[in-house]
Amino acid sequence: MVPALSVLMVLLLAAGWLMSARLVDGVPALAVASGRTAASFLAISAIAALRPRSWPDVRKGFGRPGGFVLLAFLGFFAYYSGTLLGIGRIGASRVGLIVSLLPCVTFVIGIVAFGERGTVRKVCGTLLAVAAACGYAVADGTGGEAADAGTLSAGALLALGGTFTYALYGYVYRQRMADISPLAALPAITGAGAVMLGLTTAVFVPMGGVTAADWGGVALLGAGLTAPVFLISHELILRKGPLYTSAVALVVPFLIRLGEWALGWAGAPGPLVLVLIVACSAGVWLTVGGPRRAQPPATGSGTTDDTGEGAGVPQIRGTS
C-alpha cells in the first residue's frame, strides 16, 4: 500500500505544479493558493460528509482549535506565503533550490526536537538527494533576473521560512492528529488555511482581470489534484513519518522538468541534468528504502515508536 500511495502522490504533485504554472500566468499566485486550498476544503469535506463513520472524528478534529489553527498556519499560510512571496523576489529556480532542502530540514528537526533516530543510511541518502537537487537547480537555470543583496536576502529568508514551517508541520500534525484519519482531520485544517489565505489575498492582492475560466481552473486544481494529494501525503506522514514523505516528494521537481519537456514548454534536459536526476532518485531510495524492522509494542499513552512502518507515530490511547 505504501509504495502505491507514494507513486500516486508524486504523480499528482507533479501534475498539480504543472497546472499551477499555467494558472499563475493569469491569476495572482496567492489567489491560486487560496482558491485551491478552498476547493480542497470543499472536496474533502464533501467526501467526509458522505461517510457517516467519519463524522465523530471530524467533530473531534474541529474540537481541537489550537491544533488545527496551528497546522493551518504552518502548512498552508506560512508555507504558501513564504515560498510564493520568495518567488517574486528571487525567482522560482532559487526558491526551488531552497525548498529542495526540505528533507534535510525535516531530518534535523526530527532529531533535535522530536527524538527521531538517525541512521548512516538515512543521513547519506538525504545528503545525496539534497546535493543532487541543489546541483540540478544550478545546472538547469540561474534563477531569473539579477537582484540586489537586500532583495536576495529577503527572498531567501521568506522561502527558507516557508520550508522550515512545512517541515515542522509534518511533526506537529503527527503529534496533534495521529489518532484520527486524515479525512477527518483535514476539513478543519484546510478550512482554517483557506480562511487565512483568503483574507490575505482579499486585502493585499488585486483581483482585476481574473476570469471565470481562471477560477474554474483553480477549482479543478484544488478539488481534482490538491485534495487527493493532501489525503495521501497525510496518510503517509502517519504511516511512515515526515522524513519519508518529504524525501519521496523531492522527486517531484524532476518530474516537472521532464513534464515541461514532454509538453514542449522547455528544451530537453542535458546529460548533467539527467545524471543529477538519477543521483537524487538514488538518494531518496537510500533515505526511504531498506528492510523493515519489527515494531515493538507501545509502552504507554503518547509514546513514540521509531521502527517499522509506523516509525515515529505517537501511540495514542483514546485521547481526543
Side-chain angles (χ1 to χ4, degrees):
M1 177 64 73
V2 168
L5 289 174
S6 302
V7 171
L8 183 57
M9 181 189 74
V10 166
L11 293 176
L12 288 171
L13 275 171
W17 278 110
L18 287 170
M19 188 173 181
S20 297
R22 283 305 181 191
L23 285 170
V24 295
D25 287 339
V27 184
L30 277 178
V32 173
S34 60
R36 76 177 183 180
T37 304
S40 300
F41 161 71
L42 293 175
I44 293 170
S45 298
I47 296 172
L50 294 174
R51 300 185 61 181
R53 287 183 299 177
S54 70
W55 294 353
D57 281 345
V58 171
R59 289 193 292 269
K60 188 182 295 185
F62 276 101
R64 301 171 180 175
F68 73 72
V69 169
L70 176 61
L71 288 166
F73 175 79
L74 292 173
F76 293 89
F77 180 80
Y79 173 68
Y80 280 136
S81 297
T83 53
L84 291 171
L85 291 174
I87 286 174
R89 287 164 172 77
I90 62 175
S93 179
R94 292 190 180 100
V95 171
L97 169 63
I98 293 170
V99 173
S100 72
L101 299 174
L102 180 60
C104 187
V105 175
T106 302
F107 189 78
V108 172
I109 290 175
I111 291 175
V112 172
F114 294 94
E116 295 282 0
R117 295 176 184 173
T119 65
V120 173
R121 179 188 179 113
K122 285 186 176 183
V123 171
C124 292
T126 299
L127 292 176
L128 175 60
V130 171
C134 292
Y136 162 80
V138 173
D140 206 45
T142 60
E145 300 178 356
D148 59 73
T151 300
L152 286 173
S153 298
L157 288 174
L158 284 166
L160 185 60
T163 302
F164 177 84
T165 61
Y166 196 77
L168 185 60
Y169 171 88
Y171 288 105
V172 175
Y173 174 82
R174 198 175 56 177
Q175 281 194 335
R176 298 295 184 97
M177 300 289 184
D179 59 330
I180 59 178
S181 71
L183 180 61
L186 280 170
I189 299 170
T190 56
V195 170
M196 293 178 187
L197 285 165
L199 289 175
T200 303
T201 301
V203 173
F204 296 106
V205 179
M207 302 305 296
V210 181
T211 67
D214 291 331
W215 286 121
V218 171
L220 178 61
L221 171 66
L225 294 174
T226 308
V229 164
F230 284 163
L231 292 171
I232 294 170
S233 65
H234 286 73
E235 184 67 27
L236 287 175
I237 288 172
L238 294 183
R239 286 174 177 260
K240 297 292 287 182
L243 176 61
Y244 175 95
T245 307
S246 62
V248 168
L250 190 57
V251 178
V252 172
F254 303 112
L255 287 182
I256 294 171
R257 178 63 178 85
L258 296 175
E260 289 175 337
W261 173 39
L263 292 169
W265 299 352
L272 177 58
V273 171
L274 293 175
V275 168
L276 291 170
I277 290 175
V278 173
C280 184
S281 300
V284 170
W285 180 80
L286 286 172
T287 302
V288 305
R292 297 176 182 174
R293 292 173 291 175
Q295 180 172 330
T299 57
S301 176
T303 62
T304 300
D305 169 47
D306 292 302
T307 62
E309 186 170 315
V313 178
Q315 308 298 312
I316 300 175
R317 298 284 190 266
T319 60
S320 58

